[in-house]
Amino acid sequence: MAVPAEPVLFQLCDLAGRARGTGFLADDLGTLVTTHEAVDGLSRLVLRAPGGAGEIAETAAITPLPGRDLALVATSGLGAGPLVVATERPPGSTVLVWFDRWLPANVTGLADVTYTATDRFHTIEGALELDLPPQVTDQLRLNPRATGAPVLDAATGAVVGVLAGAVHTPYRASGFALPLRPSAGSPPDPQHAPLARLLARNDATVPGWGRDLNLAGALHLTGATVATATAALTAPGRRRPRPDVERELHDFGESDASVLALVGDPGTGRSTELAAWAARRAGGSTPRPTIWLRGADLRADDSGVRAALARSLAEAGRVAGSL
């Protein structure tokens, strides 16, 4: 089975060069995700990229999350792009599992598993149970080459979970993936805070599409509609400063109001002001999803503005897919 986009995986070793696990990048800061079992008992890690380059991660760079059998490692980026973290996947989903090569598998259900760390046992709820050939399942147990590898959605390539080697149930010794996103209704978990920050950065900086559409993906799609439609209206020299209008538009954007009316005679700059505001919303340090629609974008058989929005985003998606 083909992989949607070949992800870059990193090998984790101890200072003596012994393999400890695999990891992948998950945000624009270069945060690497792996299992806790890959870093358990180590104060320093050697991270190796596929081409042979690498770096040493000191203790301060490692955030252990033993209660989830996960660990986060701050890196300098390692010259690779981060992977999208998928939304929750139900049993029956088809995934790809890394074990020297990509193997197809199905998520057969969710299980509460026990992680055996060096200090104590940890119960982890909602692990993904994978349907793999028995010989593969047996070889995954405590395998330093496989633990920490991403489990990918077979259709989109988004990360569904993290392959674990040191977790088990009373009826099964291995073949589980650790979810990164908590299940709906899960109780608060103090160890989720570092992971929650990572997921927020993933959503905001790594574009996801389709069922994994996130903030970064939405900004990419909507930003394309704004840039194309407002380019002429925001050209240098076209707009003269109107601080009072700009202030009102800013206040509206920060309020809970859902409708604002900008009135004026034809030629007084209403479209230009709206275009400049849309460009400001879509850009800057904290961009927000913004779509530019005109009356001409509506069709007679549209049941509402939603139909025009769908067409605009679909066209932006086609353009993005062709880049």
Side-chain angles (χ1 to χ4, degrees):
M1 182 176 291
V3 182
E6 189 69 33
V8 178
L9 306 183
F10 299 88
Q11 293 300 308
L12 283 65
C13 303
D14 61 19
L15 295 181
R18 292 182 292 260
R20 290 294 301 252
T22 297
F24 61 94
L25 299 182
D27 67 7
D28 60 331
L29 301 179
T31 305
L32 182 142
V33 178
T34 187
T35 55
H36 181 265
E37 58 211 61
V39 306
D40 195 11
L42 298 181
S43 59
R44 303 171 80 191
L45 279 173
V46 178
L47 309 175
R48 291 179 177 169
E55 63 182 66
I56 294 178
E58 304 288 347
T59 303
I62 303 171
T63 302
L65 305 172
R68 303 180 69 91
D69 189 16
L70 294 171
L72 311 180
V73 184
T75 77
S76 62
L78 296 172
L83 305 184
V84 179
V85 177
T87 55
E88 188 175 356
R89 291 295 193 267
S93 300
T94 303
V95 297
L96 297 173
V97 177
W98 175 255
F99 189 59
D100 293 333
R101 60 189 176 92
W102 292 103
L103 303 173
N106 290 320
V107 177
T108 58
L110 304 179
D112 294 344
V113 298
T114 299
Y115 165 50
T116 307
T118 55
D119 60 341
R120 52 169 293 214
F121 296 99
H122 300 271
T123 299
I124 303 171
E125 298 180 354
L128 308 177
E129 191 167 355
L130 305 175
D131 179 20
L132 288 164
Q135 64 272 24
V136 174
T137 302
D138 293 340
Q139 293 177 47
L140 287 176
R141 179 67 178 163
L142 301 177
N143 190 309
R145 292 178 297 136
T147 183
V151 174
L152 307 179
D153 182 284
T156 67
V159 178
V160 174
V162 180
L163 193 62
V167 302
H168 63 276
T169 66
Y171 59 88
R172 187 169 178 175
S174 62
F176 299 97
L178 307 163
L180 291 172
R181 298 188 186 275
S183 301
S186 297
D189 181 359
Q191 291 204 2
H192 182 61
L195 192 56
R197 291 192 291 269
L198 173 67
L199 294 174
R201 289 195 300 272
N202 186 275
D203 288 341
T205 62
V206 188
W209 314 109
R211 65 186 303 179
D212 298 312
L213 182 67
N214 55 15
L215 175 59
L219 288 171
H220 187 87
L221 293 178
T222 58
T225 70
V226 171
T228 300
T230 65
L233 293 172
T234 57
R238 172 162 184 138
R239 174 177 176 264
R240 66 179 180 83
R242 294 184 174 88
D244 53 338
V245 176
E246 186 172 331
R247 183 172 55 254
E248 290 291 341
L249 290 170
H250 173 271
D251 291 344
F252 168 68
E254 299 298 319
S255 72
D256 294 330
S258 57
V259 177
L260 176 139
L262 181 59
V263 299
D265 294 330
T268 57
R270 292 169 299 167
S271 296
T272 302
E273 286 301 317
L274 286 174
W277 180 55
R280 290 194 299 271
R281 276 180 56 91
S285 58
T286 56
R288 302 175 184 179
T290 305
I291 299 178
W292 180 268
L293 290 178
R294 302 168 303 155
D297 293 316
L298 298 173
R299 298 177 181 175
D301 58 348
D302 285 345
S303 58
V305 175
R306 179 176 295 182
L309 291 174
R311 284 194 298 272
S312 178
L313 292 177
E315 177 59 26
R318 283 191 290 270
V319 172
S322 65
L323 297 178

